Each structure stands twice: as structure tokens, then as C-alpha cells.
């Protein structure tokens, strides 16, 4: 979630009182940056990945796996021994929402050469080894998207009771405040989202109906009026930010050569989000139950939905300015490049004053409406020491709003007075079990940006169709069952499109329905004769034109093979593999319940796979990996 401001958080009432101040100065800060660097051109694409981890402890006697609430101490040690000692340290560590979480990135961004693709996996291994070496006995660093028994009694170590009382940060019936990162930013976010919304957040995930699952499946919460009202039959009910932001993901950030290249990449990659999300599906279980979804996206979206009843359209507008159709964590609402304009078919709520101000300052309509849309949100936290800032040299107020708009893509202006360029962040992917898989997904996405730019590819379809794809992508087994809108002719611009401005061949102002069709992920990724060339074949022909050393080529081909086989169904997604593991577990009663023991066996297995102490051909294919490494202190003799 990024770097932290230090200091003392203001109360919600005070934060709210400063909302206009934060927005006003946030825009001024953005404008300073924009005017200073709008014409900056860099010649290399740089990029980096972010992996989020959970700390898991195994009790081999009780057959129980728990989340260890020691992320803060671990982070402190990692930073002390790493970046603070050596500015060229190969890893960087950052806090994440859960106090059982931590986030790791490479120490330096990767550059534009092909051989760097061959260093990604090594760096991820380094991170895993580095953090693992600091863990206690029987503890492991796991890259799992959602912890199956998150929110079940005793899921943390030390065990903590939830605090559903007045004064608690989330007031959750299930998720204790102790599981929230101790830095005040995180509990303040939790509390203020709840205050702003006027009630606890509500997450209802459809339950997977197995043979012995009660029909209807109903949980009762007689002791909690809010829960009793909010929980839906046949759904797994959750009531805290931690159920969403306590999940892990895999992200990639790119630095573009210029602002227009960043806008172009932002748009093109936005259409890819649902596709890669479905391909990376890794989160089928919630609060100890088997769900009917495979991806975390909607869960996080609901977990930070701070909209009031008025904003959600449940009551007439009285105290609020707008109806808002989405949560702060959701898919993007507008394309940013000129080519995207005609595909912007989603109603965009924007702060009209800010929009006018930005136009007057010389911004074009598309960028102005993007920023004015982000700025319909209130700041959720504000630190006493950070109210009055130097707008020409600081950007905290801009970042305050920007960094709490958690969308599928993020368009990131450079920080003030830095030589960092315009960046875009690709955010939909679920984290995979192994460094091999995580590298494969990252390399696939980065390569895709290379072909998008080299061949001037065009994936754009109406944004409302991308939103429909997002819904489909989260469903169980969407990777094989789902149909996704995708553009048929991705080379439409015939190599003439220019990043600055739009392909002149683009022609008509209205997108024609024939431009896109419903396709399976297999067709989109692997292609289908006479229908679609396929992204992997396009990447392969690009690779053939590149000079790549044998070793790097071999790694890349192995990565692409994984993606290819996940798309065709020859290999399983993590979500599917986890479902099968639970379905076959001797304790499983076909009632959609995941017990402590099942959770333990599953996580133990996940950790063994991650440490390569066991193979998993149905997930990974034949073992591709070159380096063998065993970095966990977990006793895997069971
Ligand atoms: N953990 C969040 C997710 O799974 C992302 C948090 C962040 O923006 O770093 O999407
Ligand atoms: Mg993060």
C-alpha cells in the first residue's frame, strides 16, 4: 500500500472538516507536478513487481495453521538489515494491511533489456529466502491470496478475540483489530471507512453448493443487529476491511517514456485486467467456507466501500454531492488516451469545479476528468503534522486521494523533484504459490507491454464491456467457463498508430459492435484459427525478432508455457487446484466447510510446493525450475 506518513492521525470528524482543504491542495500539488514534467521524455521503459506475503505458523501437533501477527517486527528487521544498511540492497520491504502481511519488491527497478526477464525469479527467491531466514521455528512466508480460515476463531498467533464493541476499529464479529497492521494508518483507514459509510462494511460471497451444504445456507447473528440485517442467505458473510485488504496480490508497475505513452499503456492494459485476473485466480475460500468465486477482487471492493447510503443510491441525496456507482477499490471508469475516448461509455461522476480548474490549467478533457473523478472521494486519513504543506514540493494531499483509489490500473505522476517518470500500475493479479509462477505472470504482462508498444497494438473495447468481463472473471472456473469481450483485430492501426494521438486509420467516432466478440480465455491467450491470433503467438513472434540469450529465452518460454497451459486448461489455476485439494481431503464432508485440519494440510502443501520440496505437475507442469532452494524452517516431515 505504499510508504507511510508518520505522526498522529486526526479523528474522523476532524479529517472530514479538512476534506476540501486536502482536495484543494491535492489538486495544486498535482498541477505543480504536471506542469513541471508533462513534457518529460525518458527513453527506457523501467518496471518492477510487488509481491505480498503472509506469515504462517504451523502447529504440527494440533494440525493447525495460523497467521502470525509479527509483520511489523519482521519489516523493521528487514529494512534495518537491508535498505538502511545498503542503498543497493537487492530487496525492498514495505508494510501491508494485515499485521501478518508484508510486501517485497526488487531493490532497483528492472530496465528495458531482455536479459532482465531472467533475473526476476532470482530476485523473488532472494526475497523469500531473506524474509524466511528471520522467521521463527515452524513459520513460513506464504504467497497465498486469501487465507482460507481468515476470520475463524483462533486464526491468528497469538490468538485474539474480535472486538465488535464501540471503540473497536472494524467492530467485526470475526476479524480482531490485532490482526490489523499496528501503524496508525491502517486502523484509522478501517475506522474511518466505517464511520464514513455509517455502518460496518458488508461482504457477501456466494457459497459453493456442495452435496451436503445446507440448502438454503443460512448463518444467524442474533447478537448483532447489523450483521443480522446485512448477511444474505446462501452467502458467506464478512464484515471488516481485513477480509479484503488482508488478501495478497501481485502487481507490476511500469515507467513509461512519456506521459502519452503512460496513458496509452494504461488504456491497453485495462482491457487485459479481467483476462489476467481470471488466469491468476487463486482465492476460492473465505472465512472457513468454500465459496463460488475464484478471485478476491469483489471481496476487497466491498471491504473498503466507504460510500454512504445516499451515495449508493439507497436514499435521496441530502448531505452528499453525488451518486457513486463503484467502491474506491474497483475497475477504472475512463480511458486516458485519445484512442480511448470513443470507448468511454461509463457514466463518470466528477468534481465539476476541479474539472473546470484543470481544463483552465491546460489539461485536456480526458486527463482532467480522470483526476476530477478520483477527487470525488474524501480523504480517509489525515495526520496532524501533515495538514499544511508546501504544494510546490510535496504531494501528500494528492497522494492521499490517489492512493485510496484502488483501481485495476493506476496512473501515477512522478513524485515532486524526482527523476522518476510517468508510471502505470497493473493491479488485478492474484499472487501465486511459487516464485516461478509469479515470475511467469509478471514477465507475461511486461512482455505484453513491449509488444503493445512495438506493434502499436489496440485492445480497446467499450469500457462497459471491460466491466462486464471483470464480473465474469471472478466466477468459479472463469478461466475455462467464462466468455470475455475482446477486440478481434488488434492490429487495426496497421503499425501507423502513434502513441501521441490516435491511429488515423481509426476512422469513425463510434465503436462498431463488430470490433469485438465474446471469446474464451484460451482463444484470447492461445489464439484460434480464423477468429483471433492469440496473445502468446504474438509474443512469440515478437521474441523471434529479438536478440535474446539462450538462457533467458529458455526461461521466458517456460513462463509463457505456464500461461498458455493455464489458459487451455492443461494446467490448473491455483484456485482450481485448491478446490480439488479440499474436495479430496479425507476430512471434507462435502458441506463447503474448511476445518482447521484441512486448512493446515492445504497450507502445508502450498508451502512445500513453494519451497520445491514437492512437485505439483497439475499446477506447474513438469518441473521447469533451474535452481533448487529450500528456504523454509517448516518441518515438512508430515
Ligand atoms: N492487497 C491488495 C490486493 O490484493 C492491494 C493492496 C495494495 O494496493 O498494495 O489487491
Ligand atoms: Mg501492496
Amino acid at each position: 500500500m505504499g510508504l507511510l506518513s508518520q505522526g498522529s492521525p486526526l479523528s474522523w470528524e476532524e479529517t472530514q472538516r479538512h476534506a476540501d482543504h486536502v482536495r484543494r491542495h491535492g489538486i495544486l500539488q498535482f498541477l505543480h507536478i504536471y506542469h513541471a514534467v508533462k513534457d518529460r521524455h525518458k527513453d527506457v521503459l523501467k518496471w518492477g513487481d510487488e509481491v505480498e506475503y503472509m506469515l504462517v505458523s504451523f502447529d504440527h501437533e494440533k494440525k493447525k495453521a495460523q497467521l502470525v501477527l509479527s509483520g511489523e517486527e519482521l519489516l523493521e528487521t528487514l529494512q534495518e538489515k537491508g535498505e538502511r544498511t545498503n542503498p543497493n540492497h537487492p530487496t525492498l520491504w514495505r508494510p501491508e494491511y494485515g499485521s501478518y502481511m508484508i510486501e517485497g519488491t526488487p531493490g532497483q527497478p528492472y530496465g528495458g533489456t531482455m536479459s532482465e526477464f531472467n533475473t526476476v525469479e532470482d530476485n523473488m527467491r532472494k526475497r523469500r529466502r531473506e524474509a524466511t531466514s528471520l522467521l521463527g521455528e515452524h513459520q513460513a512466508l506464504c504467497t497465498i491470496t486469501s487465507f482460507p480460515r481468515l476470520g475463524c476463531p483462533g486464526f491468528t498467533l497469538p490468538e485474539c478475540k474480535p472486538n465488535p464493541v464501540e471503540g473497536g476499529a472494524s467492530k467485526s464479529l470475526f476479524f480482531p483489530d490485532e490482526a490489523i497492521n499496528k501503524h496508525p494508518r491502517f486502523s484509522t483507514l478501517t475506522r474511518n471507512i466505517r464511520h464514513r459509510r455509517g455502518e460496518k462494511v458488508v461482504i457477501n460471497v456466494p457459497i459453493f453448493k456442495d452435496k451436503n451444504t445446507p440448502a438454503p445456507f443460512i448463518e444467524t447473528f442474533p447478537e448483532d443487529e447489523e450483521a443480522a440485517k446485512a448477511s444474505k442467505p446462501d452467502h458467506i458473510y464478512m464484515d471488516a476491511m481485513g477480509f479484503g485488504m488482508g488478501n495478497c496480490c501481485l502487481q507490476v508497475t511500469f515507467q513509461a517514456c512519456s506521459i502519452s505513452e503512460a496513458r496509452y499503456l494504461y488504456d491497453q492494459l485495462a482491457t487485459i485486467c479481467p483476462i489476467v485476473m481470471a488466469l491468476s485466480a487463486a482465492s476460492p475460500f473465505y472465512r472457513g467456507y468454500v465459496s463460488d468465486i475464484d478471485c478476491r477482487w469483489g471481496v476487497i471492493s466491498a471491504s473498503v466501500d466507504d460510500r454512504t447510503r445516499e451515495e449508493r443510491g439507497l436514499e435521496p441525496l441530502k448531505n452528499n454531492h453525488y451518486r457513486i456507482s463503484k467502491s474506491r477499490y474497483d475497475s477504472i471508469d475512463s480511458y486516458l488516451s485519445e484512442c480511448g475516448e470513443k470507448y468511454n461509455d461509463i457514466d463518470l461522476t466528477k468534481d465539476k469545479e476541479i474539472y473546470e480548474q484543470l481544463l483552465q490549467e491546460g489539461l485536456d478533457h480526458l486527463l482532467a476528468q480522470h483526476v476530477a473523478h478520483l477527487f470525488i472521494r474524501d480523504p480517509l486519513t489525515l495526520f496532524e503534522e501533515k495538514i499544511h504543506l508546501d504544494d510546490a514540493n510535496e504531494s501528500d494531499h494528492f497522494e492521499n486521494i490517489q492512493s485510496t483509489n484502488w483501481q485495476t490500473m493506476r496512473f501515477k505522476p512522478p513524485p515532486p523533484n524526482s527523476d522518476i517518470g510517468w508510471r502505470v500500475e497493473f493491479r488485478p493479479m492474484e499472487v501465486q504459490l511459487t516464485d516461478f509462477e509469479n515470475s511467469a505472470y509478471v514477465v507475461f504482462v511486461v512482455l505484453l507491454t513491449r509488444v503493445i508498444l512495438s506493434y502499436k497494438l489496440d485492445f480497446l473495447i467499450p469500457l462497459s464491456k471491460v466491466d462486464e468481463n471483470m464480473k465474469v472473471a471472478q466466477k468459479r472456473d472463469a478461466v475455462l467457463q467464462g466468455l470475455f469481450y475482446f477486440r478481434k483485430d488488434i492490429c487495426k492501426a496497421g503499425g501507423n498508430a502513434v502513441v501521441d494521438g490516435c491511429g488515423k486509420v481509426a476512422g469513425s467516432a463510434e465503436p462498431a459492435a463488430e470490433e469485438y466478440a465474446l471469446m474464451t480465455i484460451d482463444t484470447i491467450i492461445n489464439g484460434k484459427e480464423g477468429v483471433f491470433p492469440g496473445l502468446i503467438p504474438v509474443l512469440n513472434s515478437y521474441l523471434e525478432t529479438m536478440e535474446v540469450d539462450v538462457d533467458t529465452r529458455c526461461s521466458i518460454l517456460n513462463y509463457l508455457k505456464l500461461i498458455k497451459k493455464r489458459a487451455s486448461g492443461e494446467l490448473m489455476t491455483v484456485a482450481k487446484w485448491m478446490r480439488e485439494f479440499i474436495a479430496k481431503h479425507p476430512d471434507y464432508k462435502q458441506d463447503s466447510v474448511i476445518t482447521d485440519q484441512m486448512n493446515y494440510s492445504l497450507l502445508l502443501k502450498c508451502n512445500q510446493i513453494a519451497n520445491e520440496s514437492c512437485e505439483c505437475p497439475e499446477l506447474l507442469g513438469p518441473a521447469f525450475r533451474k535452481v533448487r532452494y529450500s528456504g523454509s524452517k517448516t518441518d515438512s516431515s508430515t
Side-chain angles (χ1 to χ4, degrees):
M1 297 231 282
L3 280 166
L4 299 179
S5 325
Q6 293 302 322
S8 355
L10 298 180
S11 72
W12 171 237
E13 287 68 31
E14 284 172 282
T15 305
Q16 232 178 352
R17 227 177 304 124
H18 288 91
D20 283 325
H21 170 89
V22 170
R23 272 188 292 262
R24 197 162 53 241
H25 289 274
I27 289 298
L28 293 176
Q29 292 165 7
F30 170 74
L31 282 168
H32 272 288
I33 295 172
Y34 177 77
H35 289 309
V37 293
K38 64 178 189 300
D39 297 320
R40 189 147 91 194
H41 273 68
K42 301 228 155 205
D43 43 12
V44 282
L45 215 64
K46 286 189 187 174
W47 59 277
D49 68 82
E50 285 159 59
V51 178
E52 296 173 347
Y53 303 86
M54 289 189 193
L55 309 176
V56 176
S57 169
F58 294 95
D59 184 329
H60 298 297
E61 246 149 61
K62 292 201 188 109
K63 304 253 178 281
K64 190 166 166 158
Q66 291 169 305
L67 291 171
V68 194
L69 306 183
S70 62
E72 300 85 356
E73 293 83 42
L74 178 64
L75 176 70
E76 178 57 31
T77 316
L78 284 166
Q79 291 185 332
E80 194 51 49
K81 291 189 161 184
E83 61 191 272
R84 277 188 231 141
T85 311
N86 171 12
N88 295 318
H89 193 75
T91 63
L92 285 176
W93 296 96
R94 294 292 173 259
E96 254 307 333
Y97 181 84
S99 74
Y100 52 86
M101 288 166 81
I102 187 158
E103 179 183 293
T105 65
Q108 252 46 244
Y110 298 110
T113 62
M114 296 297 284
S115 59
E116 313 231 5
F117 291 125
N118 215 12
T119 67
V120 181
E121 191 173 339
D122 277 348
N123 190 276
M124 286 186 186
R125 284 167 190 277
K126 226 171 243 165
R127 278 176 245 169
R128 196 182 285 272
R129 209 174 320 142
E130 189 172 85
T132 301
S133 72
L134 298 172
L135 298 180
E137 199 77 60
H138 306 304
Q139 295 185 359
L141 189 77
C142 291
T143 39
I144 42 171
T145 296
S146 68
F147 185 76
R149 282 182 59 84
L150 195 75
C152 294
F155 78 100
T156 62
L157 185 73
E159 290 193 18
C160 303
K161 292 242 148 42
N163 337 65
V165 291
E166 215 45 64
S170 68
K171 288 180 66 181
S172 171
L173 294 175
F174 320 102
F175 194 97
D177 285 349
E178 288 85 345
I180 305 173
N181 188 309
K182 289 185 193 67
H183 188 286
R185 168 178 158 90
F186 299 98
S187 49
T188 308
L189 272 175
T190 311
R191 180 176 283 114
N192 289 353
I193 285 173
R194 183 168 55 75
H195 279 318
R196 190 180 189 290
R197 181 181 167 91
E199 61 191 22
K200 286 198 288 188
V201 294
V202 175
I203 310 161
N204 280 301
V205 171
I207 191 146
F208 171 71
K209 288 290 189 77
D210 211 338
K211 235 172 56 200
N212 301 324
T213 312
F217 168 85
I218 294 174
E219 291 184 289
T220 50
F221 305 100
E223 74 288 13
D224 186 295
E225 209 183 305
E226 268 188 80
K229 248 199 255 157
S231 60
K232 292 206 277 189
D234 289 329
H235 285 71
I236 307 158
Y237 167 71
M238 293 168 279
D239 65 348
M241 180 170 173
F243 282 108
M245 283 298 184
N247 294 329
C248 293
C249 69
L250 173 67
Q251 295 164 336
V252 195
T253 300
F254 307 92
Q255 175 179 275
C257 299
S258 62
I259 183 171
S260 48
E261 188 181 275
R263 294 168 68 163
Y264 174 68
L265 272 182
Y266 176 94
D267 289 3
Q268 298 300 330
L269 287 176
T271 68
I272 301 295
C273 287
I275 314 302
V276 181
M277 187 169 72
L279 265 171
S280 70
S283 48
F285 310 136
Y286 297 90
R287 235 193 82 228
Y289 293 108
V290 181
S291 84
D292 211 28
I293 61 169
D294 273 359
C295 294
R296 77 200 188 290
W297 193 263
V299 176
I300 310 189
S301 178
S303 83
V304 291
D305 190 353
D306 72 337
R307 291 172 303 160
T308 64
R309 293 181 62 81
E310 293 180 21
E311 287 168 338
R312 279 177 280 147
L314 300 173
E315 281 171 22
L317 282 176
K318 204 172 86 206
N319 301 312
N320 295 122
H321 295 302
Y322 329 92
R323 284 276 151 78
I324 303 178
S325 59
K326 288 179 186 171
S327 162
R328 302 173 80 112
Y329 184 107
D330 218 311
S331 48
I332 66 159
D333 288 299
S334 69
Y335 289 124
L336 280 180
S337 67
E338 266 177 62
C339 315
E341 172 134 45
K342 66 175 176 175
Y343 299 105
N344 275 337
D345 65 341
I346 297 182
D347 252 346
L348 195 79
T349 314
K350 54 179 186 281
D351 183 314
K352 294 226 169 52
E353 266 174 52
I354 290 178
Y355 174 70
E356 294 299 331
Q357 182 191 0
L358 293 173
L359 287 185
Q360 272 175 13
E361 287 280 342
L363 270 79
D364 58 278
H365 156 69
L366 289 168
L367 190 53
Q369 73 171 10
H370 167 76
V371 177
H373 175 57
L374 299 182
F375 273 68
I376 60 173
R377 309 289 175 172
D378 278 345
L380 289 172
T381 60
L382 188 59
F383 288 80
E384 206 175 294
E385 299 81 359
K386 290 278 184 181
I387 301 175
H388 299 289
L389 301 173
D390 170 6
D391 291 336
N393 295 297
E394 289 175 283
S395 63
D396 295 52
H397 290 327
F398 172 72
E399 287 298 336
N400 188 330
I401 304 291
Q402 158 98 335
S403 70
T404 51
N405 270 280
W406 299 275
Q407 299 182 326
T408 38
M409 298 294 306
R410 187 177 280 158
F411 178 69
K412 300 170 86 167
N417 310 317
S418 78
D419 58 4
I420 298 174
W422 293 89
R423 289 158 301 161
V424 294
E425 190 179 356
F426 184 78
R427 305 172 44 82
M429 289 191 286
E430 308 229 326
V431 76
Q432 310 293 299
L433 297 182
T434 64
D435 299 321
F436 166 69
E437 294 160 278
N438 286 317
S439 304
Y441 282 81
V442 165
V443 167
F444 172 72
V445 174
V446 181
L447 271 176
L448 204 53
T449 64
R450 304 297 156 91
V451 298
I452 289 171
L453 293 173
S454 307
Y455 296 160
K456 309 285 189 298
L457 297 183
D458 184 3
F459 296 143
L460 300 189
I461 56 174
L463 205 47
S464 62
K465 294 292 178 225
V466 178
D467 269 1
E468 287 185 44
N469 288 349
M470 281 298 290
K471 294 208 176 77
V472 174
Q474 303 173 47
K475 295 192 177 152
R476 176 164 51 86
D477 209 22
V479 69
L480 301 185
Q481 309 296 326
L483 287 175
F484 296 82
Y485 292 102
F486 210 79
R487 193 177 177 96
K488 287 189 284 188
D489 185 2
I490 56 174
C491 304
K492 176 198 69 174
N496 292 325
V498 268
V499 170
D500 303 81
C502 215
K504 297 289 168 272
V505 214
S508 75
E510 288 289 305
E514 313 80 65
E515 281 182 349
Y516 54 87
L518 280 169
M519 303 183 199
T520 62
I521 296 237
D522 189 26
T523 301
I524 296 168
I525 296 292
N526 296 319
K528 190 172 176 186
E529 189 74 49
V531 178
F532 186 71
L535 299 179
I536 297 250
V538 173
L539 292 184
N540 279 331
S541 53
Y542 169 78
L543 285 170
E544 273 161 34
T545 68
M546 298 302 288
E547 243 181 76
V548 191
D549 65 87
V550 184
D551 202 44
T552 304
R553 188 178 296 271
C554 175
S555 302
I556 294 178
L557 291 181
N558 278 336
Y559 295 151
L560 295 185
K561 234 184 256 170
L562 179 82
I563 304 293
K564 182 187 153 100
K565 291 182 176 176
R566 290 252 170 110
S568 70
E570 193 179 325
L571 294 177
M572 295 179 188
T573 60
V574 176
K576 178 150 189 174
W577 174 82
M578 286 181 165
R579 285 181 187 281
E580 299 221 335
F581 184 93
I582 290 298
K584 284 193 221 132
H585 195 282
D587 292 354
Y588 182 58
K589 302 210 166 53
Q590 293 172 292
D591 56 356
S592 315
V593 172
I594 297 174
T595 61
D596 261 322
Q597 291 217 7
M598 290 154 62
N599 187 55
Y600 164 84
S601 328
L602 176 64
L603 285 161
L604 198 61
K605 185 80 176 171
C606 290
N607 191 43
Q608 287 167 352
I609 294 170
N611 292 325
E612 301 177 350
S613 53
C614 81
E615 306 241 310
C616 190
E618 50 304 7
L619 189 66
L620 306 174
F624 295 133
R625 282 141 296 155
K626 290 176 290 187
V627 196
R628 294 207 89 72
Y629 136 72
S630 173
S632 162
K633 289 193 178 164
T634 303
D635 173 11
S636 49
S637 56
T638 343

